[in-house]
Amino acid sequence: MSYTVTLIPGDGIGPEVMAAAVRVLSATGVAFEWETEPAGIAAIGEHGVPLPPRTLESVRRNKVAFKGPTETPVAGGHRSVNVELRKKLDLYANLRPVETLPGVKSRYTDVDLIVVRENTEDLYSGLEHVVVPGVVESIKIITERASTRIALFAFEYARTHGRKRVTSVHKANIMKLSDGLFLDCCRTVAKQYPEVKYDEIIVDNCCMQLVLDPTRFDMLLLENLYGDIVSDLCAGFIGGLGMAPGANIGEHGALFEAVHGSAPDIAGKNLANPMAVILSGAMMLDHLKEHAAADRVRHAVHTVLREGTKLTRDLGGTAGTTEIAEAIAAKVTG
Ligand code: NAI
């Protein structure tokens, strides 16, 4: 059996880390047919737009995509390809596991968190306008439908993965209506899952509590913006962005990508850590029900980390992206 997957190399370090991940996935023996499609700055030159229709069609057809980071200009320029992809394909659940990895130096140990972020609305609706010169309005959309759906995703995940507690993160003391609606939906869904504990925390306090002791949380359930910020914060517990994998999941498809961006500061230098995308690849294997292969990939990453002789610069080593890929691929086959 062969899986046809849309492969989006992306911008900056994207092509380097994606090539590394493809190398490791091919070492599992699981057969992939990669449909390579452009997106991001890389696509504008040839196709005139950052998200060409052919790329969307490919993901719609294959239902599974493996994506490198894409660059989004700050304050102006085109809209984020990620936001477009997540909305157009209705990939409503962003799943970001944050787990302490062997051998990685960090002030934190035994971190084992699951961050579930709503992916389609909130302040990412892109509804911004100038009211009068000097006054800008940016609209935050929260709906009962999307909030209920993401809460159901989180509690179903908890039930099927033996998680004990879901904590909703909010600012309903200030945004009483929007975050209030989000919390109402979470509470209603929580009642359907009596075996999973449910509690709530205000987002600023959550950040402080996380930095003090991330092990006091199990699963975090957040709206889009808080989820974006808090998941980067959580990546800091496990060695940084080079180590944090992710998945965007919907009813009709799934897209796997690391939490990190295109890292223009280190692009094209063979310095990027490919482990986050390789671990995202393991999540993709799990999604395809290739659990044994997924476990082999994770085990190979852990072994390379534990040995500590082949590490990229962000982890204190001197190895290049390609060397790490070869070392992990060798453990997968070995
Ligand atoms: P970034 O994640 O690209 O980089 C932040 C810092 O982490 C940089 O110092 C970078 O060198 C380092 N870093 C990131 N990934 C690394 C890796 N694999 N190995 C070693 N070091 C790594 O975030 P930044 O600078 O805020 O964003 C750069 C661009 O990426 C922006 O255009 C942004 O919009 C885009 N972006 C795209 C994402 C996606 O496509 N999913 C997600 C986040 C940002």
Side-chain angles (χ1 to χ4, degrees), residues 3-47:
Y3 301 98
T4 308
V5 172
T6 304
L7 179 74
I8 303 174
D11 300 317
I13 60 171
E16 298 167 68
V17 290
M18 295 312 285
V22 166
R23 168 77 188 92
V24 170
L25 291 182
S26 70
T28 62
V30 174
F32 286 103
E33 206 172 296
W34 301 106
E35 239 174 64
T36 305
E37 296 292 347
I41 303 280
I44 296 178
E46 203 181 327
H47 302 272

Side-chain angles (χ1 to χ4, degrees), residues 13 17 67-74 80-82 86 96 228 232 240-243 248 257-267 271-277 312-314:
I13 60 171
V17 290
K67 177 184 167 295
T70 43
E71 206 174 308
T72 313
V74 174
S80 160
V81 165
N82 299 311
R86 291 166 191 169
R96 295 180 163 179
D228 192 4
D232 262 37
L241 285 168
M243 308 304 299
N248 301 286
E257 66 177 342
V259 173
H260 66 69
S262 58
D265 51 334
I266 55 168
L271 289 175
N273 185 346
M275 288 180 174
V277 276
T312 39
R313 199 175 64 173
D314 55 314

Side-chain angles (χ1 to χ4, degrees), residues 51 67 81-89 91 255:
L51 182 58
K67 177 184 167 295
V81 165
N82 299 311
V83 174
E84 290 293 292
L85 271 170
R86 291 166 191 169
K87 277 192 177 171
K88 291 222 160 93
L89 301 168
L91 302 170
L255 180 149

Side-chain angles (χ1 to χ4, degrees), residues 159-321:
R159 176 183 274 170
T160 50
H161 292 78
R163 291 278 166 169
K164 303 275 178 285
R165 190 168 126 237
V166 172
T167 303
S168 281
V169 183
H170 66 94
K171 191 79 184 173
N173 50 330
I174 305 298
M175 278 160 277
K176 293 176 194 294
L177 284 183
S178 53
D179 286 14
L181 174 60
F182 179 76
L183 283 187
D184 277 349
C185 297
C186 294
R187 286 172 195 160
T188 305
V189 170
K191 289 197 187 101
Q192 300 166 33
Y193 295 82
E195 74 278 27
V196 181
K197 271 209 226 150
Y198 173 70
D199 58 7
E200 295 165 358
I201 188 166
I202 294 176
V203 63
D204 36 353
N205 181 27
C206 177
C207 291
M208 191 270 290
Q209 299 287 347
L210 276 167
V211 170
L212 285 177
D213 180 12
T215 64
R216 61 173 297 252
F217 294 100
D218 186 353
M219 286 184 66
L220 300 176
L221 169 58
L222 312 95
E223 292 168 7
N224 207 341
L225 179 64
Y226 307 145
D228 192 4
I229 298 167
V230 169
S231 55
D232 262 37
L233 185 150
C234 290
F237 300 141
I238 56 161
L241 285 168
M243 308 304 299
N248 301 286
I249 299 171
E251 314 255 308
H252 307 291
L255 180 149
F256 297 83
E257 66 177 342
V259 173
H260 66 69
S262 58
D265 51 334
I266 55 168
K269 298 180 179 158
N270 198 33
L271 289 175
N273 185 346
M275 288 180 174
V277 276
I278 291 169
L279 292 170
S280 307
M283 290 175 80
M284 182 170 73
L285 286 168
D286 272 330
H287 176 79
L288 296 168
K289 309 226 176 321
E290 295 285 352
H291 298 299
D295 285 343
R296 269 164 57 217
V297 169
R298 276 188 286 263
H299 189 254
V301 171
H302 295 181
T303 308
V304 167
L305 285 170
R306 210 175 279 117
E307 288 175 0
T309 51
K310 289 254 164 39
L311 299 175
T312 39
R313 199 175 64 173
D314 55 314
L315 298 181
T318 55
T321 312

